[in-house]
């Protein structure tokens, strides 16, 4: 049987003292006699009393709790961001409430409403895919308008005024593509993407195109984009069937790279003749050590987001919002 939590009121009745006296005794207030404090603390210890720090902080006007909303937890990128956020907040004595939007505006709005109303001191969020595609940010702007600081990372929208943490998506894509060209000698590279409808997906696509143009390489029929994995698979099969001379793949996002690797395997193409680069994680590179990984430094993104939100809590009156760009590198 689960016992209910002992309250200050119950201790007050048991010891025939006011709730205020109990509270001050447990806080070691100089207003209360040593004998009374010892009596109260002994009773509290015997009944396993633990203070409701959330309620105490809430009454004081702060919670020492930060909210985090991410699109999903299965993507290693977001899992590492979570680790970075939690690590920094823990060091600073803050708690973390995490919610998953599943890239849904409805779920994202509900999560914001649930943690709103003073239950958190600030919110860190990666905007849902549905919100970005629909260009719908009222639920986030309303939350900001209520006075709670917000930091956005990864997917950035200029219609939301707040602090932001980003990487240089264009530069990362350009560098990865150019590495395939210069260091791996690739001449027939295809780009594969499942996020071309998102702003950072477009930036990565543009980085690929500019790198290819710089080296006078053709991109006609080489840019393979789709909205779901099934459609992408079909397009990739068609492309690889028609042109067995493809020697490089640049993946704009993790799932797009996974699908390309599967098609290469299923079609029996020689892996060593097709170089792969893009935005993925070390799990995929474990299966294919030759993959050139764009390391987004997700944990650093999480830590920088946590730093910005705590700084904004202290300097909430300032209107000069900051955008922190986290450095990326290629792992090969």
């Amino acid at each position: 049987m689960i016992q209910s939590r002992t309250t200050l009121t119950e201790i007050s009745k048991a010891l025939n003292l006011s709730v205020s006296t109990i509270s001050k005794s447990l806080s070691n207030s100089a207003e209360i006699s040593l004998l009374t404090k010892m009596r109260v603390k002994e009773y509290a210890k015997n009944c396993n009393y633990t203070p409701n720090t959330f309620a105490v902080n809430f009454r004081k006007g702060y919670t020492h709790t930060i909210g985090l909303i991410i699109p999903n937890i299965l993507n290693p990128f977001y899992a590492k961001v979570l680790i970075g956020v939690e690590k920094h907040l823990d060091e600073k004595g803050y708690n973390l409430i995490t919610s998953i939007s599943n890239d849904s505006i409805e779920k994202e709005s509900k999560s914001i409403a649930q943690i709103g109303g003073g239950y958190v001191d600030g919110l860190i969020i990666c905007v849902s895919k549905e919100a970005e595609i629909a260009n719908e940010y009222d639920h986030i702007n309303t939350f900001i308008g209520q006075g709670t600081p917000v930091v956005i990372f990864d997917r950035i929208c200029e219609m939301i005024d707040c602090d932001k943490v980003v990487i240089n998506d264009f530069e990362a894509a350009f560098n990865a593509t150019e590495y395939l060209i210069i260091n791996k000698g690739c001449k027939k590279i295809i780009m594969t993407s499942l996020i071309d409808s998102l702003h950072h997906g477009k930036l990565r696509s543009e980085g690929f195109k500019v790198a290819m143009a710089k080296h006078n390489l053709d991109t006609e029929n080489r840019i393979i984009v789709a909205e779901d994995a099934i459609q992408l698979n079909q397009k990739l099969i068609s492309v690889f069937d028609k042109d067995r001379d493809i020697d490089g793949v640049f993946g704009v996002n993790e799932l797009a790279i996974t699908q390309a690797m599967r098609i290469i395997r299923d079609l029996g193409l020689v892996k060593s003749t097709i170089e792969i680069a893009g935005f993925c994680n070390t799990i995929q590179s474990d299966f294919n050590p030759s993959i050139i990984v764009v390391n987004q430094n997700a944990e650093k993104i999480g830590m920088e987001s946590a730093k910005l939100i705590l700084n904004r809590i202290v300097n909430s009156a300032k209107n000069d919002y900051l955008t922190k760009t986290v450095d990326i590198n290629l792992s090969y």
Side-chain angles (χ1 to χ4, degrees):
M1 181 177 178
I2 299 176
Q3 290 185 322
S4 60
R5 182 175 186 156
T6 303
T7 66
L8 292 179
T9 301
E10 290 170 342
I11 298 176
S12 133
K13 289 179 179 178
L15 299 181
N16 196 27
L17 296 169
S18 70
V19 171
S20 176
T21 299
I22 300 298
S23 178
K24 290 178 180 179
S25 295
L26 293 172
S27 299
N28 209 31
S29 170
E31 299 176 32
I32 309 301
S33 70
L34 180 60
L35 185 62
T36 299
K37 285 191 282 190
M38 289 176 63
R39 182 181 169 213
V40 170
K41 289 179 180 179
E42 182 66 23
Y43 185 87
K45 180 180 178 182
N46 290 337
C47 64
N48 296 317
Y49 169 78
T50 55
N52 187 337
T53 53
F54 180 84
V56 172
N57 288 335
F58 187 76
R59 287 194 295 270
K60 291 179 179 178
Y62 59 86
T63 66
H64 268 130
T65 301
I66 301 298
L68 172 67
I69 301 177
I70 53 179
N72 68 72
I73 199 64
L74 298 178
N75 186 328
F77 171 77
Y78 296 118
K80 289 181 179 178
V81 169
L82 169 58
I83 290 171
V85 170
E86 189 170 46
K87 181 183 292 184
H88 186 74
L89 293 182
D90 186 59
E91 290 174 356
K92 299 301 180 180
Y94 275 75
N95 300 311
L96 180 66
I97 297 176
T98 305
S99 182
I100 313 298
S101 70
N102 292 320
D103 269 326
S104 159
I105 294 179
E106 182 180 3
K107 181 66 167 60
E108 185 172 75
S109 299
K110 285 182 179 178
S111 295
I112 290 176
Q114 287 170 354
I115 66 177
Y119 289 102
V120 296
D121 296 331
L123 172 66
I124 300 170
I125 181 172
C126 177
V127 177
S128 66
K129 185 176 181 179
E130 282 189 1
E132 183 173 342
I133 291 175
N135 208 28
E136 176 55 66
Y137 306 108
D138 287 349
H139 55 302
I140 300 174
N141 283 323
T142 298
F143 185 77
I144 294 173
Q146 293 169 350
T148 305
V150 170
V151 168
I152 292 178
F153 72 91
D154 191 38
R155 300 172 184 172
I156 304 303
C157 172
E158 298 303 323
M159 294 173 64
I160 303 175
D161 291 327
C162 66
D163 298 315
K164 298 162 185 176
V165 180
V166 301
I167 65 168
N168 192 324
D169 289 285
F170 172 89
E171 183 181 273
F174 178 91
N175 290 343
T177 305
E178 193 165 61
Y179 188 89
L180 287 175
I181 297 168
I182 296 175
N183 296 79
K184 296 297 182 178
C186 297
K187 301 299 182 186
K188 289 190 172 183
I189 308 171
I190 64 168
M191 187 202 85
T192 175
S193 173
L194 281 163
I195 58 169
D196 204 56
S197 57
L198 301 180
H199 180 64
H200 68 302
K202 288 181 170 65
L203 287 174
R204 295 174 187 181
S205 176
E206 189 63 23
F208 169 79
K209 294 173 185 175
V210 171
M212 293 287 281
K214 176 183 175 181
H215 294 276
N216 299 313
L217 296 179
D218 187 18
T219 57
E220 187 176 357
N221 300 318
R222 302 269 171 80
I223 297 175
I224 318 302
V225 301
E227 288 301 315
D228 61 67
I230 295 175
Q231 185 185 62
L232 184 65
N233 276 357
Q234 293 171 343
K235 289 186 175 183
L236 286 171
I237 290 171
S238 176
V239 168
F240 280 117
D241 262 341
K242 290 178 181 177
D243 190 350
R244 293 298 176 112
D245 291 328
I246 292 171
D247 56 10
V249 174
F250 169 68
V252 168
N253 66 302
E254 184 171 1
L255 185 54
I257 292 178
T258 302
Q259 300 306 316
M261 290 171 61
R262 183 176 293 117
I263 298 303
I264 291 171
R265 179 199 65 196
D266 292 347
L267 292 179
L269 302 176
V270 180
K271 290 184 181 179
S272 60
T273 64
I274 301 179
E275 301 291 346
I276 301 174
F279 294 78
C280 59
N281 63 82
T282 54
I283 296 175
Q284 288 170 320
S285 62
D286 287 341
F287 289 101
N288 187 344
S290 66
I291 293 180
I292 298 102
V293 177
V294 177
N295 182 2
Q296 300 176 72
N297 291 317
E299 190 170 328
K300 180 73 180 297
I301 289 174
M303 293 183 72
E304 292 298 335
S305 297
K307 288 178 183 178
L308 276 184
I309 199 68
L310 297 188
N311 182 65
R312 180 56 59 180
I313 290 170
V314 175
N315 302 289
S316 58
K318 288 188 175 181
N319 292 323
D320 52 333
Y321 296 111
L322 301 174
T323 296
K324 172 68 177 180
T325 302
V326 173
D327 292 334
I328 57 91
N329 60 282
L330 297 181
S331 299
Y332 41 82

